[in-house]
């Protein structure tokens, strides 16, 4: 059981620069950043998050196929 599932308190370490906070998005939206640039930023951050999850996710984990499709 444990080799296919993570413990409840399992965390993935990320760098400070990898965290996108809502206050940063609001600041960008109120600034001169275009909506297209914000959408690209959101896509990039989301795809990088999926890649980080895939690095630690075990192949027999129930979410493996779902993250592969993403």
């Amino acid at each position: 059981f444990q080799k296919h599932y993570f413990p409840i308190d399992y965390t993935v370490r990320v760098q400070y620069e990898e965290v996108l906070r809502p206050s940063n998005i609001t600041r960008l939206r109120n600034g001169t950043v275009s909506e297209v640039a914000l959408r690209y930023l959101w896509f990039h951050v989301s795809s990088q998050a999926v890649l980080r999850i895939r690095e630690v996710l075990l192949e027999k984990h129930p979410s493996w196929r779902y993250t592969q499709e993403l």
Side-chain angles (χ1 to χ4, degrees), residues 2-17:
Q2 281 291 11
K3 67 180 182 178
H4 302 306
Y5 296 93
F6 294 113
I8 291 174
D9 59 348
Y10 188 84
T11 59
V12 176
R13 294 192 183 272
V14 295
Q15 300 293 322
Y16 178 80
E17 296 81 16

Side-chain angles (χ1 to χ4, degrees), residues 21-56:
R21 302 186 192 301
S23 61
N24 294 342
I25 295 296
T26 302
R27 193 174 322 128
L28 291 171
R29 186 174 277 160
N30 293 338
T32 58
V33 178
S34 70
E35 191 70 25
V36 173
L38 286 174
R39 288 181 185 182
Y40 176 76
L41 175 64
W42 182 254
F43 170 77
H44 180 72
V45 168
S46 299
S47 62
Q48 293 302 308
V50 170
L51 290 175
R52 290 297 299 259
I53 290 169
R54 298 256 322 167
E55 288 176 4
V56 298

Side-chain angles (χ1 to χ4, degrees), residues 43 46-47 50-51 53-54 57 61-70:
F43 170 77
S46 299
S47 62
V50 170
L51 290 175
I53 290 169
R54 298 256 322 167
L57 199 61
H61 190 276
S63 298
W64 177 260
R65 286 188 191 153
Y66 175 73
T67 58
Q68 191 173 16
E69 292 172 8
L70 290 176

